[in-house]
Amino acid sequence: MKTKNKTAFDCAKRQINDIHNRIYNLKLLSSINCPKIVETSKFSTIGKTYYVDKDNFDSIAERVMNDEDYFILFNDGCVVNIAYTFDSNGEVLKHKLDFFSVFDSHIYLRIDYSSDEEENKKNKHPTTHLHTSIVKDSFRIPANIPVSPYSFLHMILRYFYNNESDFTNSLVDAKWKKACKEKVYLSSFLNV
């Protein structure tokens, strides 16, 4: 019997567990950890947020490796870290999805999402945006919606590692799209 994903929170938990259970056959993988999930009556969180910039890159990279505080560690020293915050209805309030090399600060990708329109307007940030540099106020590529764990990992595996394995191609997130109740998705925006 298949479980229904009624909210984005349910869908994200399912996708993270699925990735954790199936990624082991990927030869690129060094290690994987399940992000911590905290549920309260007001909000839920998945994962932990780091704010990486050129001034703290070395200390963050060292801490991530020493504490094994990542979702996925690849053989080349690149890590995936994910952090989501959901409201009491399971809707995405914000997320920060990171991919970076602990050895090379030039390999960096981050996708941020915030549903707080006032904060976005004040900071002049698109609701969802992609960073390709740790330099503060770097170029942001705008998009419209929160990104699922599947879409983020698919983009990394497909376009950074050029991996077209069955696992990579199985990272489809139609249920996330339905759970987020959106019509435009980053996966189509970026042809992921």
Side-chain angles (χ1 to χ4, degrees), residues 113-129:
Y113 168 81
S114 174
S115 63
D116 187 335
E117 291 180 22
E118 285 183 34
E119 180 184 339
N120 292 335
K121 196 173 196 176
K122 180 180 127 193
N123 294 325
K124 298 178 182 170
H125 289 180
T127 302
T128 303
H129 55 276

Side-chain angles (χ1 to χ4, degrees), residues 90-108:
E91 299 300 318
V92 183
L93 292 175
K94 60 185 174 179
H95 73 49
K96 188 170 160 302
L97 311 174
D98 290 303
F99 172 72
F100 63 93
S101 170
V102 296
F103 304 118
D104 182 355
S105 64
H106 294 94
I107 299 173
Y108 183 80

